Amino acid sequence: MMDKTINVLIADDHTLLRRGLVKLLEMTDDIKVVGQALNGHEAVEFAKELSPDVVLMDINMPGLNGIEATRLITKELGNIPILALTIHDDEEYIAEMIRAGARGYILKDSELNSLVQAIRRLAAGESFFPSHLMEKVMNRFHQLVMQQGEATKIMASFNEAAQNLTRRELEVLQCIVDGMSNKECAEHLFISEKTVKNHVTNLLRKLDVEDRTQAAVYAVQHGIVKARD
C-alpha cells in the first residue's frame, strides 16, 4: 500500500461499469475516485481540472475516443499516467494506446487485485502490461518496423544501444519488458529497489526515451532484449 492517497479519474461511457469500478476501488484505503468522465472530451477536461494521479481510460467512447483523449492528455498534461481499461486484447488497440501515451493496459475482466496493482504501479511512476499482452504488442511493433524496411537502421541502433548499456542495465531492461515492478526486479536480481531505480534512470537517458513503456517498446523493436512468455 502506498503512503499517499492515489486520486483516480475514470473515463468510461458505460454507467453500470463505471459505478461498479468506483465502489470497488473505494474499498481500498489508498485509492480515491475524484472524477467520472462519460466520454473522451470530458476525460480531457476533467484531467486538466482535477490533475489526477492516474486516469483509467476506456478506448471505445462516443465523440472523442479513448485513444485520441489519451493523446491529448499526454500532449497537454504529459505527467499524468494513463491506464487503458478495455475489453480489447488485440495488439492494434494496445499499440495505438502506447503510441498515444498510455503507460499501462488492463482488460475489464481482470481481477480487482490486478487493477489495484496496475493503478499503484502507474502512480509510482512505473508501467503495467500483463505479460501476454506485452508479448502481443511487442510482436506487433516488430512487424511494423520490418514492414517499413528499417532492418539496417534497427541493427545500427541495436549495436549502438547494446554497447552503451552495461550487463546489469540489460538485466533491468529485461525485467521491464517482462512486466516486473521495481520491487520484483530487485528481488529477481538480488539487488536493492533503489539500485533498480537508478538503473532505470540510466536506461531512459541512454535510450533517449521518457518512460518505462517506451523503453520496453524500444528494446524489443531493436532486438536488445526479447519479449518472453
Side-chain angles (χ1 to χ4, degrees):
M1 183 181 299
M2 297 183 66
D3 294 332
K4 70 179 288 290
T5 299
I6 303 170
N7 293 324
V8 173
L9 168 64
I10 299 177
D12 197 305
D13 61 316
H14 292 92
T15 302
L16 290 178
L17 175 63
R18 193 177 62 253
R19 289 177 178 173
L21 283 172
V22 172
K23 290 184 178 180
L24 288 172
L25 291 177
E26 293 194 336
M27 290 171 60
T28 64
D29 295 331
D30 60 335
I31 296 176
K32 178 181 179 181
V33 177
V34 294
Q36 300 178 49
L38 308 182
N39 53 57
H41 289 291
E42 287 190 357
V44 175
E45 292 305 312
F46 288 171
K48 293 179 181 177
E49 177 184 344
L50 301 172
S51 296
D53 298 308
V54 176
V55 178
L56 295 188
M57 184 74 74
D58 185 25
I59 291 180
N60 293 324
M61 292 186 290
L64 192 71
N65 64 36
I67 295 173
E68 291 303 320
T70 296
R71 186 171 289 114
L72 286 174
I73 291 173
T74 300
K75 180 180 179 180
E76 300 181 25
L77 306 165
N79 60 324
I80 298 179
I82 297 174
L83 175 64
L85 179 67
T86 179
I87 60 172
H88 301 289
D89 65 352
D90 184 272
E91 57 264 33
E92 283 290 346
Y93 283 103
I94 306 173
E96 283 301 316
M97 283 299 286
I98 291 177
R99 287 194 190 98
R103 299 186 197 174
Y105 199 103
I106 192 168
L107 299 179
K108 288 184 176 180
D109 60 359
S110 299
E111 296 290 335
L112 175 62
N113 288 342
S114 296
L115 177 59
V116 170
Q117 179 190 11
I119 292 172
R120 288 172 178 165
R121 283 176 58 169
L122 263 68
E126 301 180 23
S127 57
F128 182 91
F129 291 91
S131 58
H132 70 287
L133 294 184
M134 178 62 85
E135 182 180 9
K136 279 190 173 186
V137 73
M138 293 309 176
N139 288 337
R140 180 55 182 161
F141 273 117
H142 179 71
Q143 291 171 7
L144 289 174
V145 171
M146 298 309 293
Q147 288 171 3
Q148 293 167 0
E150 297 185 356
T152 302
K153 180 180 178 181
I154 289 174
M155 290 308 299
S157 298
F158 165 74
N159 291 333
E160 181 180 353
Q163 290 172 1
N164 288 336
L165 297 181
T166 66
R167 178 184 62 83
R168 183 64 84 185
E169 287 169 349
L170 287 170
E171 291 173 343
V172 172
L173 186 57
Q174 183 68 64
C175 287
I176 294 174
V177 171
D178 290 344
M180 295 185 190
S181 66
N182 286 343
K183 181 179 180 181
E184 291 168 337
C185 184
E187 293 173 352
H188 178 69
L189 297 177
F190 301 102
I191 57 179
S192 70
E193 189 171 350
K194 182 179 180 181
T195 299
V196 172
K197 290 180 180 179
N198 290 337
H199 285 311
V200 171
T201 299
N202 291 334
L203 280 170
L204 300 185
R205 175 178 54 80
K206 289 182 177 181
L207 298 180
D208 193 25
V209 294
E210 295 181 358
D211 55 45
R212 293 163 61 100
T213 304
Q214 291 183 12
V217 171
Y218 181 96
V220 175
Q221 274 186 309
H222 296 78
I224 301 174
V225 297
K226 295 181 179 181
R228 302 188 296 206
D229 292 335

